[in-house]
Amino acid sequence: MTFRLYNGMKSVDLTGKSPRSSEQIVKEQFIIFMSALLKGNVEEKSSIIMRMISSTEGPVKGKQIQEFTEDLITSVVHVLSYRNLLKGWNLEKTQDPASGVKALASQLLSELKLEDGKKLAGPPLMDAMCDQSTIENWVFHVPQISTFLSVIIRQGLLVLHSLPDHAEDLVNLVPACKGIKGRGFVSFLDIPSIIYINSQLPLELQLKWRLLFSSRVHGESFSQLCGQIINKGPCILVLKDLDGYIFGGFASQSWDAKPQFQGDNRCFLFSVSPSLVVYTDTGYNDHYMYLNHGQQTMPNGLGMGGQHDYFGLWIDSNYGNGHSRAKPSCTTYNSPQLSANENFTIDAMEVWAVGDLPESAVVSEYSVSKAGKINLHV
């Protein structure tokens, strides 16, 4: 990324100045480069990004864009870690970011459209030639590119990083991590995946994540799961099956144990591995969230999307078993089968509360005994 930044600065054409043979960056090039990437319009940014992708003139290959995007994400993770800006997360308490870097890069590249509006993927994308108008359109539709470059410049190079009005890039990028101290907890998520999932949440819920449940900390129990998530506000559920697939869902409202569907159209399902994708409401039905426990007449378990016996994501009350039945896709979220197999076995599960706890949840953590003593339930 250092070489890419250098190539971007070198590409700045100082109109009216005589050509320079020196490889040194002059002050005017540095200022124009920083101004374009931090304050410029899409055309100004994309012109420099083109030269950061390739130092030679002309169109660039899809593979070159992929390599640039992976370098960009890797550098963001490095800068955030090096500057202690991960807000309670760290690289030792999360998975190696390498696979997440590739997954997030693929997700961002999925928005790349050729001049005819066609989207490409796989080998055809790698060989496609993309001109500046294609890059302009991509940078316009994928705001993360500008945000990531801003973080690298401001926090990595410490340019304008201290100005209060320039701090917004970091505010919602990585959520503050709460509730893991002293637990020996290691998430099966990685930093790039956390950044992407967080970006899909409602803005007011992006500031903090608080661990509510981990099967490796709290045990493999459906009752324990319910006890940790009911009445705790919006949350993210993440599962890992025995085949290594990682997937989950965002519940926009507090979970409540009842035999009716709940939630609203802000809910979504997502995949983390083998691909990083979010699947949102289709408007087909309102089967967003379902949680039932201890009743004989209705299915007992936790579900999101679809319908009884055919959920987009289902965790049976007999903890450890679940299904993701979507043929061809989940009616509620248009998601495909998220797990490796339709019926899966849970290897691990995490649930994170997002945003501030609702007042009712704070109050419920305290109970007054008949003797008048206040007991704190942890």
Side-chain angles (χ1 to χ4, degrees), residues 157-179:
L157 302 181
L158 297 182
V159 174
L160 301 179
H161 69 288
S162 60
L163 297 183
D165 61 330
H166 293 310
E168 69 274 7
D169 290 330
L170 280 174
V171 171
N172 295 332
L173 187 61
V174 182
C177 177
K178 306 290 184 181

Side-chain angles (χ1 to χ4, degrees), residues 143-158:
Q144 289 96 334
I145 302 301
S146 296
T147 299
F148 290 169
L149 283 168
S150 179
V151 168
I152 289 171
I153 291 169
R154 289 181 176 143
Q155 303 302 328
L157 302 181
L158 297 182

Side-chain angles (χ1 to χ4, degrees), residues 238-285:
V238 196
L239 294 89
K240 182 179 181 182
D241 68 20
L242 287 180
D243 294 284
Y245 279 47
I246 301 174
F247 50 93
F250 164 62
S252 61
Q253 299 176 359
S254 283
W255 287 97
D256 187 14
K258 59 183 181 181
Q260 292 92 32
F261 285 97
Q262 49 196 292
D264 59 37
N265 62 6
R266 296 177 301 165
C267 295
F268 58 77
L269 291 178
F270 60 85
S271 168
V272 171
S273 179
S275 59
L276 187 58
V277 190
V278 164
Y279 303 97
T280 56
D281 167 53
T282 63
Y284 182 82
N285 58 36

Side-chain angles (χ1 to χ4, degrees), residues 4-287:
R4 293 185 186 279
L5 291 169
Y6 171 79
N7 288 333
M9 293 179 199
K10 280 292 294 179
S11 72
V12 174
D13 182 22
L14 299 176
T15 305
K17 298 288 182 82
S18 58
R20 304 177 71 256
S21 60
S22 171
E23 293 300 305
Q24 186 177 1
I25 303 294
V26 299
K27 181 179 178 181
E28 289 89 341
Q29 287 176 308
F30 179 83
I31 292 173
I32 293 171
F33 172 85
M34 293 300 173
S35 176
L37 286 189
L38 297 179
K39 295 280 193 178
N41 56 34
V42 173
E43 182 180 357
E44 292 168 329
K45 287 181 181 179
S46 61
S47 176
I48 289 179
I49 290 172
M50 280 283 286
R51 299 289 70 83
M52 292 179 69
I53 294 172
S54 172
S55 59
T56 59
E57 294 288 337
V60 295
K61 273 192 170 186
K63 183 172 178 56
Q64 292 175 298
I65 304 173
Q66 180 191 45
E67 291 169 349
F68 162 79
T69 309
E70 290 180 2
D71 284 349
L72 181 64
I73 299 166
T74 299
S75 298
V76 167
V77 174
H78 173 76
V79 166
L80 293 176
S81 177
Y82 184 77
R83 299 293 186 198
N84 296 316
L85 294 171
L86 287 176
K87 302 180 183 178
W89 303 95
N90 64 64
L91 300 185
E92 288 73 38
K93 295 290 185 181
T94 54
Q95 298 304 303
D96 187 319
S99 61
V101 165
K102 291 187 177 298
L104 180 51
S106 293
Q107 169 57 37
L108 300 183
L109 283 169
S110 70
E111 294 299 320
L112 191 66
K113 295 180 182 178
L114 301 182
E115 282 190 3
D116 58 4
K118 185 179 181 181
K119 287 186 178 182
L120 297 176
L125 172 60
M126 296 300 98
D127 293 331
M129 298 303 295
C130 303
D131 59 15
Q132 185 168 327
S133 64
T134 300
I135 300 299
E136 280 184 28
N137 183 272
W138 182 55
V139 172
F140 178 78
H141 286 96
V142 183
Q144 289 96 334
I145 302 301
S146 296
T147 299
F148 290 169
L149 283 168
S150 179
V151 168
I152 289 171
I153 291 169
R154 289 181 176 143
Q155 303 302 328
L157 302 181
L158 297 182
V159 174
L160 301 179
H161 69 288
S162 60
L163 297 183
D165 61 330
H166 293 310
E168 69 274 7
D169 290 330
L170 280 174
V171 171
N172 295 332
L173 187 61
V174 182
C177 177
K178 306 290 184 181
I180 67 170
K181 285 186 177 179
R183 291 185 167 183
F185 170 79
V186 178
S187 175
F188 53 80
L189 291 172
D190 53 63
I191 299 300
S193 301
I194 292 166
I195 289 174
Y196 183 69
I197 294 170
N198 195 57
S199 73
Q200 305 301 305
L201 299 176
L203 201 60
E204 68 275 11
L205 301 179
Q206 294 179 9
L207 296 179
K208 69 177 73 167
W209 289 18
R210 175 174 174 266
L211 184 68
L212 292 180
F213 174 82
S214 165
S215 58
R216 293 171 177 170
V217 173
H218 300 95
E220 299 179 347
S221 162
F222 191 77
S223 296
Q224 181 72 265
L225 169 65
C226 292
Q228 295 294 331
I229 69 173
I230 288 176
N231 195 37
K232 295 297 172 61
C235 64
I236 293 169
L237 300 88
V238 196
L239 294 89
K240 182 179 181 182
D241 68 20
L242 287 180
D243 294 284
Y245 279 47
I246 301 174
F247 50 93
F250 164 62
S252 61
Q253 299 176 359
S254 283
W255 287 97
D256 187 14
K258 59 183 181 181
Q260 292 92 32
F261 285 97
Q262 49 196 292
D264 59 37
N265 62 6
R266 296 177 301 165
C267 295
F268 58 77
L269 291 178
F270 60 85
S271 168
V272 171
S273 179
S275 59
L276 187 58
V277 190
V278 164
Y279 303 97
T280 56
D281 167 53
T282 63
Y284 182 82
N285 58 36
D286 60 358
H287 296 178

Side-chain angles (χ1 to χ4, degrees), residues 321-369:
N321 300 316
H323 72 244
S324 179
R325 293 178 183 151
K327 294 182 178 179
S329 63
C330 170
T331 54
T332 311
Y333 300 110
N334 199 34
S335 55
Q337 179 179 302
L338 300 173
S339 48
N341 298 296
E342 186 177 271
N343 298 301
F344 62 84
T345 300
I346 300 173
D347 177 39
M349 181 176 179
E350 299 172 11
V351 183
W352 298 86
V354 294
D356 294 318
L357 280 175
E359 289 185 13
S360 57
V362 176
V363 172
S364 69
E365 294 205 357
Y366 296 87
S367 65
V368 182
S369 68

